[in-house]
Amino acid sequence: MITVEEARALLLDLVRPLGAEEAPLAEAAGRVLAHDVAATRDQPPFAAASMDGYAVKSAEVERHAMFKVIGEAAAGHRFDGVLGAGQAVRIFTGAPVPAGADFVVIQEDVSRTGDLVTITDAPGDKPNIRPAGVDFRVGQTLAAPRILRPEDVALLASMNIPRVPVRRRPVVALISTGDELVMPGETPGPDQIIASNTFGLKALFEANGAQVRVLPIARDTRASLTTAFDLAQGADLVITIGGASVGDHDLVAHVAGDLGMERSFYKVRMRPGKPLMAGRIGDMPMVGLPGNPVSAMVCGYIFILPMLRRMLELDPGITLCEAVLSAPLGPNGPREHYMRARVDDGQIATFGDQDSSLLSILAQANALLMRPPEDPARTAGERVRYVPI
Amino acid sequence: MITVEEARALLLDLVRPLGAEEAPLAEAAGRVLAHDVAATRDQPPFAAASMDGYAVKSAEVERHAMFKVIGEAAAGHRFDGVLGAGQAVRIFTGAPVPAGADFVVIQEDVSRTGDLVTITDAPGDKPNIRPAGVDFRVGQTLAAPRILRPEDVALLASMNIPRVPVRRRPVVALISTGDELVMPGETPGPDQIIASNTFGLKALFEANGAQVRVLPIARDTRASLTTAFDLAQGADLVITIGGASVGDHDLVAHVAGDLGMERSFYKVRMRPGKPLMAGRIGDMPMVGLPGNPVSAMVCGYIFILPMLRRMLELDPGITLCEAVLSAPLGPNGPREHYMRARVDDGQIATFGDQDSSLLSILAQANALLMRPPEDPARTAGERVRYVPI
């Protein structure tokens, strides 16, 4: 048996960052920026009014000063002339500041009669002008890799980047195995249950940047499994789930072996999720997850998400948060234990029944409390670490 | 001027929860469950082995006891007979426990010779059987409303719910206005800039459950704006952005007024984002956001996301988190101020330049530090509240 960390390192060795592709800006949110992109322009491209008012020369700004209004500048429509002494241009927020002007008196500080404006209130020192390039300049970059947030998308738009270089989404082929499984919506026989792992893992992986191909359930025969592996061709990662009906993964291992897989390992010192297999069929990385629903989902978080992150060129590490135990915990055994738990307001409580078949408990949990191997008993009030789910 | 809270209450009055529709289970993750769904079966539907081993009668279990193996039960393939005294059935994880058996001796605790197995190690008290219905029973519900997580999807699969009742996605029509705007990828004139709000807000709203229709940029003419409003017909919410080139929203307000809008209000005691307009054109709620990029995004978080959440029947409240100030802050003025800030390890620091045009700062921020009106000066080490972004 190997440790969770050793298993993760072996799994991460199976994958590498995928290539880049272009996404339309409108579809780029949530994707991973593949390389730095540079602004193609200054923003703003000209000195711009930040308030509605009158553009004038700052040297002439004082209370009671009077100006002749010689034109107007609006956003999208500059005033084409040059401002002379004693002159003002009516200006609106976002408009280019006219040549010759370097101050905007806000409209609340003036009174206007016909073409004449008089400064009636102390206009202060703020020129109410945004200098050209104050937000960014040509060539300024947004650095990769990063998951593009709405704020990044707005910035990329402003930089005039209509198509964005993003990491290709990892294609994950999911193969549930077992004669006992039917798809949701089918009528199971008396010995059968519904394939749930496929749907939970699909949702989990897609929320983390993958594109998931759900393959037909593989029956417990070499022919059926071989067909499933054939259908998985071209995926960046193929994942089998289960195989328990004939012993842990035995059939899956045999068929994968026939297809040329060199398997990396079998057992991880972990609860839930001890049986785990990994290797490579030709160029295609393959991971065999345990069939228990909770084990499969926990292995998804602990092992597969890091692989997806590496393929997306993100930090593959697991983020552990801290919370305060609200009830004592007995000592842990020799395996790293990921316990379904609930975190509320910084307090964490584990669920009483940790049987790896209980999806109803998993759906109530929002955390996996991580207990290191041989962790001693813990008292209420101690800080513990968890994976948010 | 009205407060942020008053503005939000008025905006929330404009919308109500949308109807339900069915989503295929494979596409249900991230959607909002519209009403409680009940399991259509027990899980497991039969008492099932939780380990590989031999099914026997518990009364006969003791060290050195010997059993005759009369058959096999695998997942998906039950043993059809009834177990008698002194008999055992080879059983694998997930298989139905045969009639007459109530204990599974794990395979590590027996030795087998031909059809005979002998218990060689103390088998303990655990029967290694999952009772029928231990995960859930027919009729047990997953409660609405909730955003469906991968764990919920797995549970729904297991309950055999192939189509899931979910809240319809709010359709939001976005209209950017202004002669100064061009779409990303176009070549702006010397007085023009790129429409960035549309793309940032689209990403923000879609990440929060909406379906966004980006309409063509409306020019600063009645005809262009009227066309845009026509194109917005059928949306659950129409949002205009900007209008600043002709004074705050004046043109938008006039055209919306011509279309029968009764406007709810104009100015909010808030920074950034003071100019805000809302009302209803026929049945369609309408909100006019300020055109400054940062103001538009902040108003998206503070005002529009709560409206989306109400339409999705989720709690529309704003979640404020707490962090410790890492540098002092001067006193706040009369308006509630949402300052771009960065939270790292529980420490929060605001950016020096809070000008509402700076998208480059917004893209670096991961929090909006919220300062109440007239908040006094704060020292480093004080706890403050923020909206995570």
Side-chain angles (χ1 to χ4, degrees):
Chain A
M1 290 218 282
I2 60 177
T3 67
V4 171
E5 205 175 331
E6 287 165 344
R8 192 154 48 222
L10 288 166
L11 289 171
L12 285 174
D13 268 351
L14 293 173
V15 292
R16 54 189 55 79
L18 302 177
E21 64 186 17
E22 276 197 344
L25 181 60
E27 308 302 329
R31 302 293 298 272
V32 177
L33 191 65
H35 54 76
D36 298 1
V37 288
T40 63
R41 60 202 317 264
D42 294 342
Q43 177 59 24
F46 39 74
S50 65
M51 299 289 279
D52 293 349
Y54 292 84
V56 296
K57 291 178 184 298
S58 60
E60 298 177 350
V61 171
E62 59 183 302
R63 207 160 166 194
H64 308 305
M66 187 180 282
F67 301 87
K68 175 155 196 208
V69 180
I70 59 164
E72 183 175 301
H77 304 283
R78 79 173 58 214
F79 173 76
D80 269 331
V82 177
L83 192 100
Q87 296 182 328
V89 165
R90 174 72 170 130
I91 196 164
F92 296 96
T93 304
V97 174
D102 60 354
F103 197 99
V104 171
V105 184
I106 65 172
Q107 60 196 19
E108 288 80 358
D109 290 346
V110 304
S111 76
R112 178 168 177 171
T113 312
D115 281 351
L116 295 179
V117 287
T118 306
I119 297 181
T120 50
D121 287 297
D125 292 332
K126 251 182 69 186
N128 301 309
I129 290 173
R130 295 190 175 111
V134 67
D135 194 1
F136 53 78
R137 295 214 169 261
V138 171
Q140 192 168 318
T141 57
L142 186 70
R146 69 170 68 209
I147 298 173
L148 292 169
R149 304 185 307 145
E151 291 72 21
D152 298 315
V153 170
L155 181 60
L156 288 169
S158 194
M159 287 175 161
N160 206 4
I161 311 289
R163 299 187 65 80
V164 187
V166 293
R167 219 32 76 191
R168 187 166 66 71
R169 288 184 199 279
V171 176
V172 178
L174 283 184
I175 304 174
S176 279
T177 73
D179 287 349
E180 75 277 25
L181 298 178
V182 300
M183 280 290 184
E186 292 181 39
T187 304
D191 299 357
Q192 291 186 303
I193 60 173
I194 317 293
S196 57
N197 296 320
T198 321
F199 291 85
L201 290 174
K202 174 180 192 286
L204 178 63
F205 298 159
E206 289 187 340
N208 286 274
Q211 194 177 326
V212 173
R213 282 160 52 186
V214 173
L215 299 184
I217 293 167
R219 300 299 158 198
D220 292 325
T221 64
R222 283 179 181 247
S224 181
L225 262 170
T226 304
T227 301
F229 279 116
D230 284 348
L231 290 171
Q233 287 306 316
D236 299 301
L237 174 62
V238 56
I239 294 179
T240 61
I241 310 159
S245 64
V246 287
D248 291 333
H249 296 294
D250 278 359
L251 188 60
V252 174
H254 285 142
V255 173
D258 289 351
L259 296 171
M261 187 178 95
E262 299 219 356
R263 81 180 177 224
S264 292
F265 62 92
Y266 260 136
K267 304 265 189 190
V268 186
R269 208 173 292 136
M270 172 177 173
R271 273 181 78 191
K274 187 167 91 176
L276 193 68
M277 183 176 43
R280 212 180 257 287
I281 301 177
D283 280 345
M284 192 166 59
M286 181 266 182
V287 179
L289 296 182
N292 258 326
V294 176
S295 309
M297 287 296 283
V298 170
C299 288
Y301 280 100
I302 304 303
F303 295 119
I304 309 300
L305 294 193
M307 296 176 81
L308 296 180
R309 286 198 292 267
R310 166 146 299 170
M311 287 192 265
L312 290 165
E313 214 182 11
L314 298 171
D315 177 355
I318 292 276
T319 304
L320 292 171
C321 303
E322 281 198 356
V324 173
L325 263 185
S326 57
L329 284 177
N332 189 30
R335 285 151 70 192
E336 192 161 304
H337 193 180
Y338 289 87
M339 305 181 76
R340 277 151 284 173
R342 182 99 211 149
V343 178
D344 290 299
D345 280 336
Q347 298 268 322
I348 190 166
T350 58
F351 288 91
D353 191 344
Q354 293 285 330
D355 185 281
S356 63
S357 71
L358 302 181
L359 278 175
S360 52
I361 300 290
L362 184 65
Q364 293 170 59
N366 64 4
L368 298 173
L369 189 156
M370 192 278 273
R371 304 207 63 194
E374 312 295 355
D375 192 39
R378 298 285 172 188
T379 57
E382 284 196 74
R383 293 189 79 78
V384 292
R385 290 187 300 165
Y386 68 92
V387 180
I389 67 171
Chain B
M1 288 217 285
I2 60 177
T3 67
V4 171
E5 206 175 329
E6 288 164 346
R8 193 155 48 222
L10 288 165
L11 289 171
L12 286 175
D13 268 352
L14 293 173
V15 292
R16 54 190 53 81
L18 302 177
E21 64 185 17
E22 277 196 342
L25 181 61
E27 308 303 329
R31 302 294 298 271
V32 177
L33 191 64
H35 54 77
D36 297 1
V37 287
T40 62
R41 59 203 317 266
D42 295 342
Q43 175 61 23
F46 39 74
S50 66
M51 299 289 279
D52 292 350
Y54 292 84
V56 296
K57 292 177 184 297
S58 59
E60 299 177 349
V61 171
E62 59 183 301
R63 207 159 166 196
H64 306 307
M66 188 181 280
F67 302 85
K68 179 160 191 199
V69 180
I70 59 166
E72 184 174 301
H77 305 283
R78 78 175 57 215
F79 172 77
D80 270 330
V82 177
L83 191 101
Q87 295 182 329
V89 165
R90 173 72 169 129
I91 195 164
F92 296 95
T93 304
V97 174
D102 60 355
F103 196 99
V104 172
V105 184
I106 65 172
Q107 62 195 18
E108 288 79 359
D109 290 346
V110 306
S111 76
R112 178 167 176 171
T113 312
D115 281 350
L116 295 178
V117 287
T118 307
I119 298 181
T120 50
D121 287 296
D125 293 331
K126 249 183 69 186
N128 300 309
I129 290 174
R130 296 191 175 110
V134 68
D135 194 1
F136 53 80
R137 295 215 169 261
V138 170
Q140 192 168 319
T141 57
L142 186 68
R146 69 169 67 210
I147 298 173
L148 291 169
R149 304 184 308 143
E151 291 72 20
D152 299 315
V153 170
L155 181 60
L156 288 170
S158 195
M159 288 175 161
N160 205 5
I161 311 289
R163 298 186 66 80
V164 187
V166 292
R167 216 36 74 190
R168 188 166 65 70
R169 287 184 200 279
V171 175
V172 178
L174 282 183
I175 304 174
S176 279
T177 74
D179 287 348
E180 76 277 24
L181 298 179
V182 300
M183 281 290 186
E186 293 181 38
T187 304
D191 300 357
Q192 293 187 302
I193 60 173
I194 317 294
S196 57
N197 296 320
T198 322
F199 291 85
L201 290 174
K202 174 180 191 285
L204 178 63
F205 298 159
E206 289 187 341
N208 286 272
Q211 194 176 323
V212 173
R213 283 160 51 189
V214 172
L215 299 185
I217 293 167
R219 299 300 158 198
D220 291 325
T221 64
R222 283 177 181 249
S224 182
L225 263 170
T226 305
T227 301
F229 278 116
D230 285 348
L231 290 171
Q233 287 306 316
D236 298 302
L237 174 62
V238 56
I239 294 179
T240 61
I241 310 159
S245 65
V246 287
D248 293 334
H249 295 296
D250 278 359
L251 189 61
V252 173
H254 285 143
V255 173
D258 289 350
L259 296 171
M261 188 178 95
E262 299 219 356
R263 81 179 177 224
S264 292
F265 61 91
Y266 259 135
K267 304 266 188 189
V268 186
R269 208 174 291 135
M270 174 176 171
R271 273 179 77 190
K274 188 167 88 176
L276 194 66
M277 182 175 45
R280 211 180 256 288
I281 301 176
D283 280 345
M284 193 166 59
M286 182 266 181
V287 179
L289 296 182
N292 257 327
V294 177
S295 308
M297 287 296 283
V298 170
C299 288
Y301 279 100
I302 304 303
F303 295 120
I304 308 300
L305 294 193
M307 296 177 81
L308 296 179
R309 285 199 292 268
R310 167 147 296 171
M311 287 192 263
L312 290 165
E313 215 183 13
L314 299 171
D315 178 355
I318 292 276
T319 304
L320 292 172
C321 303
E322 281 199 356
V324 172
L325 263 185
S326 57
L329 284 177
N332 189 29
R335 287 151 69 192
E336 193 160 305
H337 193 178
Y338 289 88
M339 305 181 77
R340 278 152 284 174
R342 182 99 211 149
V343 178
D344 290 300
D345 279 336
Q347 298 267 324
I348 190 166
T350 58
F351 288 91
D353 191 343
Q354 293 285 330
D355 185 280
S356 63
S357 72
L358 302 181
L359 278 174
S360 53
I361 300 289
L362 184 65
Q364 293 171 60
N366 63 3
L368 299 173
L369 190 155
M370 192 279 274
R371 304 208 62 195
E374 312 296 356
D375 192 39
R378 299 282 172 190
T379 57
E382 286 196 70
R383 294 188 80 77
V384 292
R385 291 187 300 164
Y386 69 92
V387 180
I389 65 171

